[in-house]
Amino acid sequence: MNAEKLRKVSANERAAYLQNIVGHIKLQRIGFAELSGQAVTSDGMTFNVSDRDYFLKASAGQEWISDPFQDVTDVYGTIIVFAVPVYEQEQIVAVLFGVYDLSTLAQWLDLSFFEESGKVYVVQGDGEVMIRPKESGQQVNITDIID
């Protein structure tokens, strides 16, 4: 389904189409937002994303990965959002976004590497550690360790 057709179908038809895509990828939810910010997601939710950084960046033409934040729908915990502009005849007409639950990533990364001596951390741009090995337990800012 192209962007023009997706924009013209009902919210229920959009949700069904997006749900079919989610079945093939590892995201918890994907959404399609009009430039007004009105979004429909693969799990049938409708809400406005016009004030979200990921929407503002993507609707301005940038591919964007958000900083982690608490899922406002209360379905998942801490999430990150991947967002891209949707083009129609070289003009941005909407934003497509995907939601990834960080607890899923934490489970996947909770593996030991380098013969049990290596650990994986996920760090935000400001140095705050978002995901750490279970046994570490300490709250640290990675920039404090590097300095």
Side-chain angles (χ1 to χ4, degrees), residues 9-22:
V9 299
S10 72
N12 287 342
E13 289 173 296
R14 268 189 208 164
Y17 178 74
L18 296 173
Q19 183 59 42
N20 183 46
I21 294 171
V22 165

Side-chain angles (χ1 to χ4, degrees), residues 8 19 35 64 68 74-76 89 91 94 96 113 117 130:
K8 292 180 180 178
Q19 183 59 42
L35 291 181
W64 194 255
D74 290 328
V75 175
Y76 304 106
Q89 298 178 8
Q91 188 170 3
L96 184 67
F113 295 94
S117 64
M130 297 307 300

Side-chain angles (χ1 to χ4, degrees), residues 3-112:
E4 182 179 359
K5 186 172 181 182
L6 193 58
R7 292 175 59 217
K8 292 180 180 178
V9 299
S10 72
N12 287 342
E13 289 173 296
R14 268 189 208 164
Y17 178 74
L18 296 173
Q19 183 59 42
N20 183 46
I21 294 171
V22 165
H24 300 290
I25 56 178
K26 299 293 182 194
L27 297 172
Q28 278 64 39
R29 166 189 309 131
I30 58 175
F32 184 88
E34 297 284 345
L35 291 181
S36 65
Q38 195 58 35
V40 174
T41 64
S42 55
D43 48 0
M45 290 192 225
T46 58
F47 50 91
N48 195 290
V49 295
S50 62
D51 62 339
R52 312 277 166 74
D53 283 343
Y54 63 85
F55 173 81
L56 296 170
K57 298 291 186 182
S59 63
Q62 290 182 275
E63 297 173 353
W64 194 255
I65 301 174
S66 73
D67 282 336
F69 63 95
Q70 188 64 34
D71 182 13
V72 295
T73 66
D74 290 328
V75 175
Y76 304 106
T78 303
I79 60 171
I80 55 174
V81 177
F82 303 90
V84 295
V86 175
Y87 290 90
E88 190 175 293
Q89 298 178 8
E90 299 183 29
Q91 188 170 3
I92 298 171
V93 295
V95 169
L96 184 67
F97 61 93
V99 174
Y100 194 82
D101 181 7
L102 282 185
S103 66
T104 302
L105 182 61
Q107 290 171 0
W108 184 80
L109 290 176
D110 195 32
L111 305 169
S112 293

